Amino acid sequence: MKITIYGDRISGNCLKVKWVADRMGLAYDWIDVDILSGEAKTPDFLKLNPAGQVPTVVLPDGRSLAQSGAIIWHFAEGSDLIPASPFDRAKMLEWMFWEQYSHEPIIAVRRFHKHYLSKTDDEIDPSLLVKGNACLARMETVLSAQRWFVAGALSLADIALVAYTRFAPEGGFDLDRYPAIRSWISRVEEALPIEP
Ligand SMILES: N[C@@H](CCC(=O)N[C@@H](CS)C(=O)NCC(=O)O)C(=O)O
């Protein structure tokens, strides 16, 4: 029995799960769930994940798991994607929680409104651009001094953060302003590897 991953490739949260599953060499079936047409809210899907969201995975024993951060932690347990030292593991979680609370709700949301809902800049909350650039500036400062977010090596923190950062231009964010971020994106893409 394989793992089943329910996901939509337009979603960075789903891609995090795919990349970690691929990096770990896990056998899985990928089921496309079109979030734009409401497939995550059908009665059948809600039985798998009552929150009506992807990514959702069903493990070979039938148990299901949601939330990209929880899934990638489960998939990567015991691997080099999770640092060995307790402090570094906690630091990795610090970045992953920051991504979910302060980065994804801004950069991914602006991308969704601009790129997928085709809203003009005037129709999008102007604070998203300001806050998104503040996030990117924070990352740029860190990545100007180090190659990876935690413990000198690729970890789940980089994977969580790269997912929507590499899509930031679709949200109207100019990554040419952030050369250290651009180099880091290339490093993460090469290390995983990520298909273009
Ligand atoms: N914090 C969750 C976010 C899950 C989420 O918001 N999923 C979106 C796609 S990125 C979704 O399923 N949207 C469909 C909907 O709400 O109908 C995670 O990291 O997995």
Side-chain angles (χ1 to χ4, degrees), residues 8 10 14 17 31 33 37 43 49 52 81 90-91 96 98 108 112-113 122 134 143 153 193 195:
D8 188 327
I10 72 167
C14 295
V17 169
I31 308 280
V33 176
S37 66
N49 179 1
L81 293 176
K91 184 55 79 176
M96 290 169 69
W98 181 76
F112 188 74
H113 286 274
D122 288 347
L143 292 167
E195 295 162 20

Side-chain angles (χ1 to χ4, degrees), residues 50-87:
Q53 291 179 330
V54 286
T56 297
V57 303
V58 178
L59 303 177
D61 63 9
R63 290 178 298 175
S64 65
L65 188 63
Q67 293 292 333
S68 58
I71 297 167
I72 62 177
W73 178 280
H74 186 59
F75 283 180
E77 190 97 61
S79 80
D80 63 351
L81 293 176
I82 299 178
S85 111
F87 178 80

Side-chain angles (χ1 to χ4, degrees), residues 31 51-52 54 56 60 82 86 90 95 107 126 128 145-146 148 161 166 179 192:
I31 308 280
V54 286
T56 297
I82 299 178
W95 280 114
I107 293 179
L128 292 178
Q146 60 197 55
W148 309 101
L161 282 163
R166 63 197 282 280
L192 275 174

Side-chain angles (χ1 to χ4, degrees), residues 98-168:
W98 181 76
E99 188 269 344
Q100 284 284 286
Y101 191 75
S102 301
H103 177 293
E104 189 254 24
I106 295 162
I107 293 179
V109 167
R110 194 170 201 282
R111 169 189 181 238
F112 188 74
H113 286 274
K114 192 172 175 65
H115 193 70
Y116 290 102
L117 302 183
S118 301
K119 290 189 183 172
T120 63
D121 285 353
D122 288 347
E123 295 170 313
I124 302 173
D125 174 359
S127 77
L128 292 178
L129 195 59
V130 177
K131 289 180 189 168
N133 275 307
C135 285
L136 294 169
R138 180 172 183 219
M139 292 171 65
E140 179 73 9
T141 301
V142 171
L143 292 167
S144 299
Q146 60 197 55
R147 289 170 59 79
W148 309 101
F149 272 92
V150 180
L154 176 76
S155 76
L156 296 183
D158 300 285
I159 295 170
L161 282 163
V162 88
Y164 286 105
T165 304
R166 63 197 282 280
F167 287 142

